[in-house]
Amino acid sequence: MNEFYKELITHTDNWVKRVIMKYNICPFARQEIESNTIRYLVIDETKIAKLADKLVEEYQYLDQHPEVETSLMILANGFGDFNRYLGAVYLAEDLIEDLGYEGTYQIASFHPEYCFEGEDFDSATNYTNRSPYPTLHIIREASIEKALENYNEPESIPERNIAFTERKGAAFFIELLKSCKSN
């Protein structure tokens, strides 16, 4: 693996640990970090058709490796524009349906310029889904269902995260994301 890829993975791992886990944005992340069941991979494809091939490969990889709980596909090039990135998200979701993986996998999306529909770009709320790099998160649905069985009021997670990000403010998260890019 080249140094550039290692750096992207390190920064993304820092983000998972320093933001997602530390501030409990995803209350299920700690277990996967401690169990070392997160797969990080860098995708260097810029063409949507080539990205489709990589997504199919990753779904198949997860099929064959049940010990891997979840995959974070870091899109190294070509998806820095948020609208173009959304096309990659829709592609990943469409492939799940087309390949018969509904109920098996789902996609969570993260991007440095993530902006929820109806939110101002600078709203702190967007930081629940902002990451150092464009990232497609492939999640096993069975794992989500199992985790939710032991979690009181899972529907409160998004509201809690929004309240937290608004309380901390965008400036806090800007600095926090910058810190993730330091080794």
Side-chain angles (χ1 to χ4, degrees):
M1 179 183 317
N2 72 40
E3 288 304 313
F4 176 64
Y5 286 14
K6 287 180 185 176
E7 187 174 277
L8 295 179
I9 289 170
T10 297
H11 296 166
T12 302
D13 184 61
N14 288 346
W15 166 71
V16 169
K17 291 173 180 168
R18 295 178 189 173
V19 180
I20 302 303
M21 184 182 81
K22 181 177 180 177
Y23 294 104
N24 207 29
I25 301 295
C26 174
F28 316 116
R30 179 176 300 280
Q31 178 180 335
E32 304 320 321
I33 291 165
E34 291 173 352
S35 300
N36 197 30
T37 57
I38 301 172
R39 175 173 152 92
Y40 295 89
L41 65 154
V42 177
I43 305 300
D44 209 9
E45 302 296 344
T46 59
K47 295 189 184 323
I48 204 80
K50 294 285 188 182
L51 177 60
D53 293 341
K54 295 295 182 182
L55 283 159
V56 170
E57 288 173 18
E58 192 59 17
Y59 298 143
Q60 292 170 344
Y61 179 91
L62 289 170
D63 286 345
Q64 297 165 8
H65 294 88
E67 72 280 5
V68 175
E69 191 59 41
T70 189
S71 290
L72 290 170
M73 297 180 70
I74 305 158
L75 307 181
N77 293 299
F79 295 93
D81 175 78
F82 184 59
N83 288 320
R84 184 157 195 272
Y85 167 78
L86 288 177
V89 174
Y90 301 141
L91 169 69
E93 292 171 341
D94 288 347
L95 283 171
I96 285 174
E97 185 177 326
D98 294 347
L99 298 170
Y101 284 126
E102 283 183 301
T104 304
Y105 302 119
Q106 68 176 253
I107 300 295
S109 61
F110 302 95
H111 192 279
E113 296 179 358
Y114 199 96
C115 188
F116 287 104
E117 189 173 334
E119 286 292 328
D120 289 335
F121 180 80
D122 295 328
S123 170
T125 298
N126 295 316
Y127 284 90
T128 63
N129 287 64
R130 287 203 178 159
S131 58
Y133 307 103
T135 303
L136 297 171
H137 181 192
I138 304 171
I139 308 165
R140 294 181 187 275
E141 286 210 11
S143 300
I144 292 172
E145 291 170 11
K146 184 178 176 185
L148 291 176
E149 288 174 3
N150 302 311
Y151 194 86
N152 285 337
E153 300 180 39
E155 65 280 354
S156 69
I157 296 170
E159 290 127 16
R160 185 202 65 209
N161 287 342
I162 290 168
F164 172 73
T165 56
E166 288 176 351
R167 187 171 64 251
K168 287 297 208 181
F172 172 82
F173 285 98
I174 290 168
E175 290 305 311
L176 190 58
L177 280 175
K178 281 183 192 173
S179 79
C180 293
K181 289 188 175 184
S182 63
N183 300 332

